[in-house]
Amino acid sequence: MDDEKILLSHGAGGLKTQRLIRGIFRKHLGNPYLQQELDAALIEVSSRKIAFTTDSFVVSPIFFPGGDIGKLAVCGTVNDLAVMGAKPLYLTLGLIIEEGLPMETLDRLVYSMGQTAHQAKVQIVAGDTKVVEHGACDQIYINTSGVGAVPPDLDLSPRRMAPGDKVIVSGPVGNHGIAILAAREGLKFSPPPASDCTYLSDLIDRVVSTGAGIKCMRDPTRGGLATTLVELAGQSGLGIKLFEEDVPVDPQVKGACSMLGLDPLYMANEGKIALVVESKDAPAVVHEIQKHEAGRGAGIIGEVVGDHPGKVVMETGLGTLRALHMLEGDPLPRIC
Amino acid sequence: MDDEKILLSHGAGGLKTQRLIRGIFRKHLGNPYLQQELDAALIEVSSRKIAFTTDSFVVSPIFFPGGDIGKLAVCGTVNDLAVMGAKPLYLTLGLIIEEGLPMETLDRLVYSMGQTAHQAKVQIVAGDTKVVEHGACDQIYINTSGVGAVPPDLDLSPRRMAPGDKVIVSGPVGNHGIAILAAREGLKFSPPPASDCTYLSDLIDRVVSTGAGIKCMRDPTRGGLATTLVELAGQSGLGIKLFEEDVPVDPQVKGACSMLGLDPLYMANEGKIALVVESKDAPAVVHEIQKHEAGRGAGIIGEVVGDHPGKVVMETGLGTLRALHMLEGDPLPRIC
């Protein structure tokens, strides 16, 4: 690229936009769809049932231990598709960039997106770049939208939950939230805590392929595991009982949370799933998840109950019951 | 809504986010897909061939004569799908909102999106809201992504262009650009110039249904008609010859442009299409477009030629030839 920094004219839709497309986007994301340079990509999806989702990413800082805003934007949308049981196929990419962003920063982020998309076996088929004046955004905001093919016979829904079903989480919670907080506020940890940011489509595909009785899946991002489970309880009309001692939390995250007065159950995750599974299949599902690198710390953390309809209660280490609610307020803005 | 202004917690994914979804998004955009509150919407598309596109909108000001950023965001993505010959079906909505935005402003914009989506016969099936600190964005930025069904037998591509084909535009050019410029800079015109912002899916559907020999279509937004035609010339490898006196420009836009030293051919449009059509069908296509409210000013403005491969030349009122290039620089940032 000729220019060292992003200029307003890179977003004007003219010559400089075209140079940006060819010099950076095609280089790192290259595929036949982008090559066409059409107003919309023409894709083929073999299933009539399609999952369609969107997410915008405004995380600060844009580089953090374990990832960056580009990797996060690809993984986040891939995971939203995967937890619906869909095979993620195609993504679009919408960038809003602050004038003056070093070209090298954009290049690194788009490279990261390309690598992540390649690993997650999705293609970024269409994109859009807007540039705003210095001060009208903070470096870069990224939107990804995605489509995936849903197997015709798969029915995942909180409405299928039943008392006795087990609640499983694929690994320790709160890592992304603590990693961002530490990076943003310059907290000194050694080693610095790393985000769990990763795509889960491979892991989910393996688990679903076992034919186990999976009722529904969610990725507990903003609002953390607690908020996700409260949503599931509300949508199913059933209760969920958690066992505090069974919820995996890394020692470093636990330490940071207790020091800062935060609750890991409300901290964002970017590489975890929560599943509700038929009781008889739960141990096999945990075993299958643990085979995958992103699921080593998986475990059963609770169960669906007929009591406490629409609510989540947690049995604490002391044997008392604590009601969990949705996240209120915003302890950590711009976490994703 | 309880709150008068957008708070960071409205973007935190917890209780306030849920209230925003139920109090504003469902109210104005309500449909069974949004109702499900899933990580991704499950949609059905009858065609295997799908058009998929994305656009982010950062226009300033967010309300302007003829539209607002919400209407623009729906129309822009609907039009990107429609010019590919697709029937626009489903949109996603990604919002980045500045802390402190009046709730009433968001309500008006989402209402406008709902109305426009209803008219354009698309459904907004999934969404995401992020809130950033005051000063980290300018009021609101909107991403829309869309999918549409492509008829299996339709083949629209600049590669199908041939010498002798006619170039048609659906109406006067430059209105959106001048409307935004006047509104932003407080230029005094009476009446104030209005954007042409509208959805073109109905109009395009009618034209395509005639079975006329349409080679390709584009919506000349950022970069204007000139940049769009230069792209078509480049992709087809053929020349395009325009006749300056045939390019429709409203007198008010012409006056404003000459006063400000701007060229209407490079000003953005948000409710126009450029078409390349077989010569014999061109008059009938113009006639069909003119029947539609958004196409009253349609006309043939040029032709595809074997000379000047990959280039656009314009025969001026004086009979001289002027080469047109892509937009360079950015005369009007944040036009869409």
Side-chain angles (χ1 to χ4, degrees):
Chain A
M1 295 294 304
D2 301 341
D3 299 297
E4 281 182 21
K5 293 188 173 200
I6 289 287
L7 309 171
L8 285 171
S9 51
H10 284 112
L15 200 62
K16 289 232 181 235
T17 306
Q18 201 185 65
R19 286 199 189 136
L20 199 65
I21 291 171
R22 296 182 180 175
I24 291 193
F25 295 107
R26 275 207 198 176
K27 181 174 69 175
H28 296 311
L29 310 177
N31 60 57
Y33 304 98
L34 272 187
Q35 216 82 4
Q36 294 171 350
E37 298 193 4
L38 298 171
D39 285 321
L42 295 179
I43 56 175
E44 295 223 3
V45 180
S46 57
S47 164
R48 284 197 171 194
K49 229 167 119 187
I50 290 174
F52 186 23
T53 193
T54 193
D55 240 329
S56 296
F57 296 85
V58 297
V59 68
S60 168
I62 58 176
F63 295 96
F64 48 84
D68 56 65
I69 190 173
K71 179 183 178 188
L72 188 62
V74 172
C75 292
T77 289
V78 162
N79 292 347
D80 277 345
L81 295 171
V83 293
M84 295 300 299
K87 180 180 162 56
L89 294 171
Y90 304 105
L91 303 189
T92 59
L93 174 61
L95 299 177
I96 298 173
I97 310 179
E98 185 183 16
E99 181 187 8
L101 185 82
M103 194 63 75
E104 190 258 336
T105 302
L106 180 66
D107 192 71
R108 275 175 71 191
L109 292 174
V110 179
Y111 171 79
S112 172
M113 281 186 262
Q115 292 295 104
T116 311
H118 179 74
Q119 289 160 11
K121 301 183 196 79
V122 293
Q123 291 182 289
I124 295 172
V125 296
D128 175 62
T129 303
K130 295 292 189 307
V131 180
V132 296
E133 319 87 279
H134 180 67
C137 103
D138 186 5
Q139 296 185 284
I140 187 167
Y141 299 149
I142 301 183
N143 176 282
T144 49
S145 299
V147 298
V150 181
D153 49 343
L154 196 66
D155 180 17
L156 296 172
S157 163
R159 290 186 310 273
R160 294 186 54 229
M161 287 163 56
D165 289 347
K166 297 298 183 193
V167 179
I168 294 169
V169 72
S170 63
V173 299
N175 298 55
H176 179 74
I178 288 297
I180 296 299
L181 183 66
R184 192 191 301 168
E185 307 299 337
L187 305 181
K188 300 282 178 233
F189 290 96
S190 181
S195 167
D196 56 346
C197 174
T198 193
Y199 60 96
L200 297 165
S201 38
D202 275 0
L203 184 158
I204 290 173
D205 185 41
R206 279 203 216 172
V207 175
V208 170
S209 301
T210 62
I214 299 170
K215 304 298 186 73
C216 59
M217 298 182 277
R218 288 289 164 91
D219 60 333
T221 55
R222 280 184 298 177
L225 180 66
T227 300
T228 295
L229 295 180
V230 172
E231 282 174 9
L232 286 182
Q235 290 172 2
S236 67
L238 296 168
I240 291 177
K241 188 172 181 184
L242 278 195
F243 301 98
E244 186 173 27
E245 297 195 330
D246 295 337
V247 178
V249 184
D250 280 343
Q252 193 184 34
V253 171
K254 195 174 280 183
C257 279
S258 67
M259 204 171 70
L260 299 163
L262 296 166
D263 185 340
L265 287 171
Y266 289 92
M267 305 296 287
N269 310 280
E270 292 292 346
K272 295 289 154 21
I273 39 167
L275 308 87
V276 179
V277 178
E278 268 179 49
S279 180
K280 69 173 172 51
D281 294 338
V285 166
V286 168
H287 185 67
E288 190 63 38
I289 296 175
Q290 285 173 342
K291 285 191 207 165
H292 198 283
E293 200 189 330
R296 299 245 181 280
I300 297 173
I301 58 169
E303 59 191 19
V304 179
V305 292
D307 300 345
H308 316 290
K311 296 202 175 346
V312 178
V313 294
M314 183 165 71
E315 194 175 298
T316 66
L318 304 168
T320 58
L321 279 188
R322 170 186 160 202
L324 295 182
H325 303 285
M326 291 194 125
L327 176 68
E328 289 190 59
D330 190 4
L332 288 173
R334 296 183 55 191
I335 203 72
C336 62
Chain B
M1 295 296 301
D2 302 342
D3 299 298
E4 281 182 22
K5 295 188 172 201
I6 289 286
L7 309 171
L8 286 171
S9 51
H10 284 113
L15 200 62
K16 290 234 180 232
T17 305
Q18 200 185 65
R19 286 199 189 136
L20 199 65
I21 290 171
R22 295 182 181 175
I24 291 193
F25 294 107
R26 275 208 199 175
K27 182 174 70 176
H28 296 312
L29 309 177
N31 61 56
Y33 304 98
L34 273 187
Q35 215 82 6
Q36 294 171 348
E37 298 191 4
L38 298 172
D39 285 321
L42 295 178
I43 56 176
E44 294 223 3
V45 180
S46 57
S47 164
R48 281 195 172 195
K49 230 167 118 185
I50 290 174
F52 186 23
T53 192
T54 193
D55 239 329
S56 296
F57 296 86
V58 297
V59 67
S60 169
I62 57 176
F63 296 96
F64 48 84
D68 56 65
I69 190 173
K71 180 183 177 187
L72 188 63
V74 172
C75 292
T77 289
V78 163
N79 292 347
D80 276 344
L81 295 171
V83 294
M84 295 300 299
K87 180 181 163 57
L89 295 171
Y90 304 105
L91 303 189
T92 58
L93 174 61
L95 298 178
I96 298 172
I97 310 178
E98 185 182 16
E99 181 188 10
L101 185 82
M103 194 63 77
E104 190 257 336
T105 301
L106 180 65
D107 192 72
R108 276 175 70 192
L109 292 175
V110 179
Y111 171 79
S112 172
M113 281 186 262
Q115 292 293 105
T116 311
H118 179 72
Q119 289 160 10
K121 301 182 195 80
V122 293
Q123 290 182 289
I124 295 173
V125 297
D128 175 61
T129 302
K130 294 292 188 308
V131 180
V132 295
E133 319 87 278
H134 180 67
C137 102
D138 186 5
Q139 296 184 284
I140 187 168
Y141 299 149
I142 301 182
N143 176 282
T144 50
S145 299
V147 298
V150 181
D153 48 344
L154 196 65
D155 181 17
L156 296 171
S157 162
R159 290 186 310 272
R160 294 187 53 228
M161 286 163 55
D165 289 346
K166 298 297 184 193
V167 179
I168 293 169
V169 72
S170 63
V173 298
N175 298 56
H176 179 74
I178 288 297
I180 297 299
L181 182 66
R184 191 190 301 168
E185 307 299 338
L187 305 181
K188 300 284 178 229
F189 290 96
S190 181
S195 167
D196 56 345
C197 174
T198 195
Y199 60 95
L200 296 165
S201 38
D202 275 0
L203 185 158
I204 290 173
D205 186 40
R206 279 203 216 174
V207 174
V208 170
S209 300
T210 63
I214 299 170
K215 304 298 186 74
C216 59
M217 298 184 276
R218 288 290 163 91
D219 61 333
T221 56
R222 281 184 297 178
L225 181 64
T227 300
T228 296
L229 295 180
V230 171
E231 282 174 9
L232 285 183
Q235 290 173 2
S236 67
L238 295 169
I240 292 178
K241 187 171 182 185
L242 278 195
F243 301 98
E244 186 173 27
E245 297 195 328
D246 295 337
V247 178
V249 185
D250 281 343
Q252 194 184 32
V253 171
K254 195 174 281 184
C257 278
S258 68
M259 204 169 71
L260 299 164
L262 295 167
D263 186 340
L265 288 171
Y266 288 92
M267 306 294 288
N269 310 280
E270 291 291 346
K272 295 289 156 16
I273 39 167
L275 308 88
V276 179
V277 177
E278 269 180 46
S279 180
K280 69 174 172 50
D281 294 339
V285 166
V286 168
H287 185 68
E288 191 62 38
I289 297 175
Q290 285 174 343
K291 285 190 205 165
H292 198 283
E293 201 188 329
R296 299 245 182 281
I300 297 173
I301 58 168
E303 60 191 19
V304 179
V305 292
D307 299 344
H308 316 290
K311 296 204 175 342
V312 178
V313 294
M314 183 165 71
E315 194 174 296
T316 67
L318 303 169
T320 57
L321 279 188
R322 171 187 159 200
L324 295 182
H325 304 285
M326 293 196 125
L327 176 68
E328 289 190 59
D330 190 4
L332 289 172
R334 295 181 58 188
I335 204 72
C336 62

